[in-house]
Amino acid sequence: MKEAKTDYTIDYFLNLEGEPCPFPAMKTVDAYDDMKDGEVIEIISDCPQSINNIPVDAKNRHHEILLVEQNGPTFRYVIRK
Amino acid sequence: MNRLRKTWNPLIVVPILGMLSAYFFGLTSKQWAVTGEFTRWGGHLMNFVGVDTSQFSYFKLIKFKGTPLTRIDGVMIIGMFIGMFVSALISNNVKFRMPTSKTRVFQALGGGIMAGFGARLAMGCNLAAFFTGIPQFSLHAWFFTIFTIIGTYVGTQIIKRPMFQSKIKMKKVHKHHLYGIHDVDHTKRNNWLLVACAALILFLLFFEFNIQAMFPLVLVFGLSFGFLLEKGQVCFTSAFRDLWTAGRSNMTVAIILGMIFSTIGTFIFIKGGTPATIHWAGLNTIVGGFIFGVGIVIAGGCETGWMYRAVEGQVHYMLVGVGNVLGSILLVLVWDQIAPVMAYNYPEVNLLQTFGPYGGLIITYVGLLVMLGLVYVYVKWYFRKQNNNTHAIQQEELS
């Protein structure tokens, strides 16, 4: 997977590869607390379950989901607080 | 094709599972359940190391005889594993993942043992004593549900402790490109494995037909259950736990909806003469439900949850599975001492008898709707509290 360019600035990067459920989701929710409104975070997780929780948690908190993609067994979420 | 590869919405998948579980009950007179069969695996394991299992009454209770290939539950579970694996291959979710730390290994085994022990003490996990137990109109399933919910709350407080939290740190960056994910292309491997699965399924269909004509159908049910569980990433643990960790209710609502669909179906079959499965509404259910609830949260997954994650290649959940079987063996060993005071002296309450057939049906539906209502109110409250907290922090920062 090439390092694609983005038209927004990514302010935080959280690589959760290897962490099983529910820690990717818990860590992500905690991450929002340390971010200012408008900042962007890129999250990587290879827990397939994360697709049912990271985007849902973001939506519940009215954060903007910029990107959700699966590259092989690894998922990427880009979210603007 | 793309739709087949993506994860399916649990709000659709779980109601389908609910309906299928009702048909499965109509076909086999058995609930869709897994822990009883895991306990029988424990029995095989005990036989293998030379233990005489006939001395334990629990094995009589769960009708331990034959092999997985000659038991309805056994055939169904084999189907589930294959169905989950097929789904994981199609979804490209198969990857070998080792536990990240010793703490996780300890959690998987310890939580797994607690969950296995608790579930068998209560005569079923969150399938037989919740998802397919409530639609059987057995009061014990309600006891189990309430105490599992309490258990998951306690479990969540435990995994929130710093020692269990992920050690991974968020990095402050300033970049305009996405992280390059280093995944190998598994397409070829996955396709070959799918072909192998197809061959195995064909073989099993013929093989099982020769054992009993109904078994191929049982296998198909298992395949469908497994496929849908992985495809929807249906995690019963998350349905309880994530209410506490994140105020998230999508899985909880999906599962209650599933029971709303399956309850009427099982009711019709029970009315048609299929006997319902009723267990003791006793101390065993209450204590078992609580231990189970704590255990599944520490382990990170219950029985169905570890199954699909294990075939995805997550070693953590293979360990949960081992823990489950060990926990159920422990329960078998102590059952004869504790059952007279915890189970046998309590009544087996069938709501359809206590309140009459339609009374029992109405009470069950009222119960399910109350559950749905409570979830709604709780989530509202959760986010109101969160907003107040953030406002308070902002106020502090301003002043």
Side-chain angles (χ1 to χ4, degrees), chain A residues 1 3-6 8-23 25-27 31 34 39 41-42 44 46 48-49 51-53 56-57 60-61 67 69-76 78, chain B residues 7 10 91-95 97 100 104 107 159-160 164-166 168-181 183 232-233 235 241 245-246 248 250-251 300 308-309 312 314 316-317 382-383 386:
Chain A
M1 188 67 195
E3 298 193 355
K5 282 221 173 278
T6 56
Y8 41 79
T9 312
I10 295 169
D11 304 292
Y12 291 98
F13 178 61
L14 184 54
N15 188 345
L16 295 160
E17 279 177 276
E19 276 295 4
C21 210
F23 300 101
M26 288 172 84
K27 200 80 192 169
D34 299 330
E39 286 186 321
I41 183 169
E42 179 185 19
I44 307 289
D46 57 2
Q49 181 78 31
I51 192 90
N52 273 340
N53 43 48
V56 178
D57 285 340
N60 284 342
R61 286 160 182 73
L67 180 69
E69 64 175 1
Q70 182 183 5
N71 299 295
T74 308
F75 294 78
R76 181 204 315 278
V78 182
Chain B
T7 307
S91 321
N92 199 0
N93 279 341
V94 179
K95 174 185 166 189
R97 306 157 175 91
T100 45
R104 294 280 181 261
Q107 268 179 274
I159 61 163
K160 274 186 179 168
F164 291 115
Q165 279 304 303
S166 173
I168 295 169
K169 292 257 178 314
M170 174 167 78
K171 279 192 209 122
K172 180 92 183 90
V173 292
H174 186 86
K175 57 176 194 157
H176 291 90
H177 59 84
L178 297 173
Y179 170 75
I181 293 172
D183 268 331
Q233 293 286 316
C235 175
R241 176 199 61 211
T245 60
R248 188 183 336 108
N250 53 333
M251 199 61 75
Y308 74 77
R309 291 188 181 96
E312 286 169 355
Q314 304 193 43
H316 179 103
Y317 291 97
Y382 182 93
F383 282 105
Q386 274 233 320

Side-chain angles (χ1 to χ4, degrees), chain B residues 231-285:
Chain B
K231 210 72 209 126
Q233 293 286 316
V234 179
C235 175
F236 284 77
T237 306
S238 101
F240 299 114
R241 176 199 61 211
D242 295 346
L243 290 171
W244 319 128
T245 60
R248 188 183 336 108
S249 62
N250 53 333
M251 199 61 75
T252 329
V253 172
I255 286 170
I256 298 172
L257 270 182
M259 287 191 282
I260 286 176
F261 277 89
S262 64
T263 298
I264 185 71
T266 56
F267 177 78
I268 292 166
F269 285 119
I270 292 168
K271 228 169 161 285
T274 312
T277 308
I278 310 293
H279 288 297
W280 307 282
L283 205 55
N284 68 317
T285 315

Side-chain angles (χ1 to χ4, degrees), chain B residues 1-8 87 90-91 227 231:
Chain B
M1 198 58 196
N2 203 20
R3 172 154 293 187
L4 199 60
R5 291 192 185 282
K6 280 196 169 152
T7 307
W8 293 351
S87 171
I90 292 175
S91 321
F227 186 86
K231 210 72 209 126

Side-chain angles (χ1 to χ4, degrees), chain B residues 4-297:
Chain B
L4 199 60
R5 291 192 185 282
K6 280 196 169 152
T7 307
W8 293 351
N9 188 347
L11 282 170
I12 295 164
V13 170
V14 187
I16 297 175
L17 282 170
M19 281 190 281
L20 283 179
S21 70
Y23 295 146
F24 181 76
F25 171 66
L27 176 79
T28 63
S29 310
K30 275 177 167 288
Q31 288 165 281
W32 173 33
V34 292
T35 47
E37 181 63 16
F38 291 153
T39 314
R40 295 183 200 112
W41 291 4
H44 290 305
L45 208 65
M46 288 162 85
N47 283 336
F48 183 75
V49 296
V51 180
D52 173 22
T53 46
S54 63
Q55 56 178 313
F56 301 105
S57 66
Y58 200 82
F59 283 124
K60 285 189 201 82
L61 201 65
I62 59 165
K63 300 183 182 68
F64 174 51
K65 50 177 182 267
T67 73
L69 289 167
T70 63
R71 291 189 293 255
I72 291 176
D73 294 334
V75 176
M76 194 279 295
I77 286 183
I78 292 169
M80 272 176 80
F81 273 116
I82 302 174
M84 287 165 166
F85 192 50
V86 167
S87 171
L89 288 170
I90 292 175
S91 321
N92 199 0
N93 279 341
V94 179
K95 174 185 166 189
F96 197 70
R97 306 157 175 91
M98 287 298 281
T100 45
S101 65
K102 285 203 189 87
T103 316
R104 294 280 181 261
V105 174
F106 163 77
Q107 268 179 274
L109 279 172
I113 290 173
M114 285 180 77
F117 183 90
R120 286 329 302 172
L121 178 59
M123 303 304 292
C125 65
N126 45 10
L127 284 181
F130 173 54
F131 189 69
T132 59
I134 285 178
Q136 292 285 325
F137 307 98
S138 179
L139 180 64
H140 95 287
W142 286 99
F143 285 7
F144 180 84
T145 305
I146 292 166
F147 282 87
T148 299
I149 292 171
I150 299 172
T152 57
Y153 180 78
V154 174
T156 306
Q157 300 312 314
I158 296 172
I159 61 163
K160 274 186 179 168
R161 311 291 310 158
M163 69 169 290
F164 291 115
Q165 279 304 303
S166 173
K167 302 287 173 286
I168 295 169
K169 292 257 178 314
M170 174 167 78
K171 279 192 209 122
K172 180 92 183 90
V173 292
H174 186 86
K175 57 176 194 157
H176 291 90
H177 59 84
L178 297 173
Y179 170 75
I181 293 172
H182 303 288
D183 268 331
V184 198
D185 182 12
H186 294 301
T187 319
K188 209 168 185 183
R189 179 202 71 182
N190 288 357
N191 287 345
W192 276 113
L193 285 170
L194 279 171
V195 172
C197 284
L200 180 63
I201 291 169
L202 273 179
F203 167 77
L204 281 173
L205 286 174
F206 282 106
F207 182 84
E208 292 296 335
F209 183 77
N210 287 323
I211 294 176
Q212 206 173 312
M214 184 181 72
F215 277 5
L217 198 53
V218 172
L219 188 76
V220 171
F221 266 98
L223 287 166
S224 316
F225 288 142
F227 186 86
L228 290 169
L229 283 170
E230 205 280 343
K231 210 72 209 126
Q233 293 286 316
V234 179
C235 175
F236 284 77
T237 306
S238 101
F240 299 114
R241 176 199 61 211
D242 295 346
L243 290 171
W244 319 128
T245 60
R248 188 183 336 108
S249 62
N250 53 333
M251 199 61 75
T252 329
V253 172
I255 286 170
I256 298 172
L257 270 182
M259 287 191 282
I260 286 176
F261 277 89
S262 64
T263 298
I264 185 71
T266 56
F267 177 78
I268 292 166
F269 285 119
I270 292 168
K271 228 169 161 285
T274 312
T277 308
I278 310 293
H279 288 297
W280 307 282
L283 205 55
N284 68 317
T285 315
I286 289 172
V287 176
F290 179 77
I291 298 176
F292 175 79
V294 177
I296 57 174
V297 174

